[in-house]
Amino acid sequence: MAEVEPHEGEQDLEKKIEETRQRFNNELLQDSTEKYDPRDVERLQTDDSLVEGYLTWRLYNVDDALKMIDESLHWRKEYGVNDINESTIPRWMFETGAVYLHGYDKEGNKLFWFKVKLHVKDAKTVIDKKKYIAFWLERYAKKEPGMPLTVVFDMTDSGLSNVDMEFVKYIINCFKVYYPKFLSKMIIVDMPWILNAAWKIVKSWLGPEAISKLRFASKSEAQTYIGPEYLPPHMGGTDPFKYSYPPLPDDDFQTPICDNGPIVSDDERESKEGDLDVKDALESSFTSDVVVKPKKVNFLEQSLRSEDNDKGDASARTKGARKPLTTFKGSLLDVSPAEELSFGSGETEKKSLIILNNVVKNQVAFKVRTTAPDKYRVKPSSSCCEPGASVDIVVSLHGGSQASPQDRFLIMAAEMENAGSQDLSQFWKEVPKTKIMEHRLRCHVLESAKPAIKPFKDNPMETMPSEQQELNIALMRVTACTSRLEQKLNDTLWLQKVLIVLVVVLVMLNLLCLHLLGTAQRPS
């Protein structure tokens, strides 16, 4: 029965998706052909994950999902979201640095920063600002489909003049309606007490599912959710990042050290050679052409060499690597695992296996990129896969490096219709971007086995789970608040005592004056 239940669940979901599409066509599309962008309608008809996102966000209620789809697609048409790009947004908005993507939280979610003090309410620019938010969200949706965002409202040095309630409501609506399932959590850092009333109104707009994602934190408490490496110094972090434009700071994938073939050993000499081969700038897989200058590799010669070598050491190379359990069905390659590469903290848990299966009739060229090229060795990181064949790629942590949920891998694949002796580097320069299949993997760090007796730590918070930490933080806040109230009460009581003493003194002086006055008036 345990094997049947997931299958039945998948069938139910497929029925819900099909029902949603049919009702959209019958109830919304026929009378509103001009209301939606045809590109959005086509995507809704073909992308199951998009429909599933609306359904899950509305708890699989088709009526609610359809309302959400209608509002979302209408908004996309009204704001021209499909056609928004860098050139359609006023340059000064990029230059202010009030909004940008940078870094990751401790769960590996991308951080979407709002510098509240840089925002000033202005009715003349509100439409452009809304399009600016749509630009960032749409850019991220295309770059990291299905990956949630953590929104950080940095309210340092902000005040009432910086809070635009209509704009805040729009941002919330983006995550409630236009980009369902995108919000991981919303962290409000260092909120001035004078804005408490404003945020009570904001909470009323969120709804129960979004309120559960709301976090209020002081500057020091921000480290509960974000590591110091991605926190600015004014929040107690060590991130040297300073916003500037251009270019856009959105952490594009970097070129891995072993981008053009396997490194057969990890000794210092070969590492230096690998570094020289890719010494030039980072390569963006989303907005720029390939700029790396790797060494020339003949496709046929490399294939023959790798075939001979792999026969002897394939089992040794993959030994100890964690085998994938899930599979993503792609247009050119099936990729295992589907979403996550798992690593542990022990010496025997520092390898993970990616398996690529060619599902087309031609050879498929592939290459693997990572956001942390200094930490990982990918063997092979660039090669080809024959029709019907599979390739094992070993991803291993280099030296004493530790895996992190913030680390990402990008697998790029393109069909080689006329492979022959074609040079791989030249092929990647010439292949159109529209013909490149991309699939992203994130890192999952496995928890190590906990010892039976935990050693005492100076900071007991380190040994607690996140829920317990949050509870303790809340208790500390309450304790601090109680202490402040007690101090105020003591101050009040002291003031009352002083007033009582003054009243007594005044009464005695008054009585003394009356006595003296009576004595003076008494006849001698």
Side-chain angles (χ1 to χ4, degrees):
M1 288 299 293
E3 296 179 358
V4 176
E5 289 176 359
H7 181 63
E8 290 176 348
E10 290 175 6
Q11 285 184 336
D12 289 341
L13 179 58
E14 289 175 2
K15 290 178 181 178
K16 289 279 188 181
I17 291 173
E18 187 59 31
E19 180 187 352
T20 304
R21 284 187 176 132
Q22 287 179 357
R23 289 187 55 185
F24 173 79
N25 293 333
N26 297 334
E27 300 172 19
L28 299 176
L29 190 58
Q30 288 182 351
D31 299 329
S32 308
T33 53
E34 300 299 324
K35 188 177 181 181
Y36 313 126
D37 188 319
R39 290 168 288 185
D40 292 327
V41 174
E42 182 182 358
R43 185 170 165 233
L44 191 75
Q45 305 289 9
T46 56
D47 188 347
D48 288 351
S49 62
L50 177 64
V51 183
E52 183 183 349
Y54 288 111
L55 284 168
T56 53
W57 192 243
R58 302 315 303 160
L59 303 177
Y60 299 96
N61 185 307
V62 176
D63 289 331
D64 290 346
L66 284 171
K67 291 177 184 177
M68 201 170 171
I69 290 170
D70 174 57
E71 188 176 345
S72 179
L73 266 58
H74 176 60
W75 168 79
R76 292 179 65 86
K77 174 74 178 291
E78 181 184 0
Y79 281 83
V81 175
N82 287 312
D83 299 313
I84 287 178
N85 55 55
E86 214 169 323
S87 63
T88 62
I89 305 293
R91 183 184 175 95
W92 66 266
M93 287 191 176
F94 290 103
E95 292 174 341
T96 61
V99 178
Y100 57 87
L101 290 164
H102 173 70
Y104 300 88
D105 67 10
K106 288 186 175 181
E107 296 175 357
N109 302 310
K110 192 75 171 178
L111 297 175
F112 194 21
W113 290 88
F114 286 82
K115 298 283 187 179
V116 179
K117 72 175 183 179
L118 299 177
H119 176 81
V120 179
K121 186 175 182 179
D122 183 1
K124 295 179 182 179
T125 61
V126 67
I127 297 299
D128 283 333
K129 287 177 180 176
K130 288 180 177 181
K131 288 185 177 181
Y132 186 45
I133 300 300
F135 164 83
W136 280 110
L137 290 174
E138 188 68 8
R139 182 180 179 87
Y140 181 75
K142 291 176 180 177
K143 178 180 171 181
E144 294 277 14
M147 297 297 294
L149 279 169
T150 291
V151 177
V152 184
F153 281 100
D154 181 3
M155 304 193 75
T156 306
D157 300 328
S158 63
L160 285 173
S161 62
N162 304 117
V163 177
D164 184 344
M165 300 301 285
E166 181 189 351
F167 189 60
V168 172
K169 189 173 184 178
Y170 169 79
I171 294 170
I172 290 169
N173 231 34
C174 283
F175 290 101
K176 277 184 66 177
V177 181
Y178 310 143
Y179 293 89
K181 291 186 69 179
F182 257 54
L183 183 63
S184 166
K185 53 186 164 290
M186 187 180 290
I187 307 173
I188 294 90
V189 182
D190 202 27
M191 187 182 75
W193 65 268
I194 200 169
L195 298 179
N196 280 334
W199 277 100
K200 285 181 181 177
I201 298 173
V202 170
K203 287 177 72 174
S204 69
W205 297 335
L206 290 172
E209 65 280 323
I211 286 178
S212 65
K213 298 176 182 293
L214 203 61
R215 306 285 188 274
F216 289 90
S218 64
K219 290 178 183 178
S220 59
E221 291 166 349
Q223 293 194 33
T224 305
Y225 311 103
I226 306 168
E229 68 273 17
Y230 288 122
L231 276 177
H234 73 268
M235 291 184 185
T238 58
D239 189 358
F241 170 80
K242 290 184 178 180
Y243 180 90
S244 63
Y245 176 82
L248 293 172
D250 54 358
D251 291 351
D252 283 339
F253 279 90
Q254 302 176 6
T255 303
I257 288 176
C258 46
D259 181 67
N260 216 33
I263 297 177
V264 294
S265 66
D266 288 331
D267 62 357
E268 184 178 357
R269 177 182 60 80
E270 287 182 303
S271 294
K272 287 181 179 178
E273 289 176 0
D275 290 339
L276 290 173
D277 286 337
V278 293
K279 189 179 179 181
D280 46 0
L282 307 178
E283 172 182 340
S284 168
S285 58
F286 311 99
T287 58
S288 62
D289 294 329
V290 178
V291 295
V292 186
K293 298 177 182 177
K295 56 188 177 182
K296 297 288 183 179
V297 179
N298 181 281
F299 174 77
L300 187 59
E301 290 177 0
Q302 183 188 5
S303 298
L304 292 173
R305 282 202 307 270
S306 61
E307 185 178 348
D308 292 338
N309 293 335
D310 286 350
K311 288 180 180 179
D313 62 7
S315 58
R317 184 163 55 87
T318 60
K319 184 178 180 181
R322 188 175 296 276
K323 304 296 189 295
L325 302 176
T326 57
T327 301
F328 165 79
K329 301 291 185 180
S331 57
L332 302 178
L333 297 171
D334 286 351
V335 182
S336 301
E339 296 180 351
E340 295 180 334
L341 279 178
S342 297
F343 294 90
S345 57
E347 288 299 321
T348 60
E349 300 174 307
K350 292 197 172 187
K351 285 185 179 181
S352 198
L353 192 64
I354 301 174
I355 301 176
L356 306 180
N357 287 286
N358 187 342
V359 295
V360 295
K361 62 181 180 180
N362 294 315
Q363 293 165 326
V364 174
F366 69 86
K367 56 181 176 180
V368 182
R369 300 175 181 278
T370 177
T371 56
D374 294 333
K375 292 167 61 173
Y376 297 95
R377 293 292 180 263
V378 184
K379 304 179 183 181
S381 65
S382 178
S383 187
C384 71
C385 186
E386 298 293 329
S390 65
V391 174
D392 291 348
I393 300 173
V394 177
V395 181
S396 55
L397 283 161
H398 180 57
S401 300
Q402 295 292 327
S404 168
Q406 291 94 337
D407 300 338
R408 297 284 193 277
F409 289 85
L410 173 68
I411 298 165
M412 303 174 67
E415 193 171 1
M416 304 182 74
E417 297 178 357
N418 300 305
S421 58
Q422 189 173 1
D423 178 68
L424 274 179
S425 61
Q426 189 64 30
F427 170 77
W428 283 112
K429 289 180 181 178
E430 296 174 354
V431 64
K433 289 186 178 180
T434 55
K435 294 188 176 181
I436 297 177
M437 167 192 148
E438 294 183 351
H439 183 65
R440 293 162 180 78
L441 299 172
R442 59 179 179 269
C443 280
H444 174 64
V445 182
L446 300 169
E447 294 185 5
S448 57
K450 298 180 180 179
I453 301 176
K454 294 183 179 180
F456 178 77
K457 295 187 178 182
D458 293 335
N459 183 7
M461 292 287 286
E462 295 179 3
T463 65
M464 299 179 183
S466 58
E467 294 83 359
Q468 186 67 29
Q469 288 186 26
E470 290 182 14
L471 180 60
N472 272 19
I473 290 170
L475 288 172
M476 284 190 287
R477 285 180 181 171
V478 172
T479 304
C481 184
T482 305
S483 177
R484 288 195 296 270
L485 289 173
E486 185 179 354
Q487 182 62 41
K488 289 181 180 179
L489 183 60
N490 290 335
D491 293 342
T492 304
L493 292 173
W494 177 83
L495 183 60
Q496 287 178 348
K497 291 177 181 178
V498 171
L499 289 173
I500 291 171
V501 171
L502 288 174
V503 169
V504 171
V505 170
L506 287 172
V507 170
M508 291 180 68
L509 286 172
N510 192 32
L511 291 173
L512 180 62
C513 289
L514 290 173
H515 175 71
L516 293 173
L517 183 62
T519 303
Q521 291 178 351
R522 192 177 304 164
S524 55

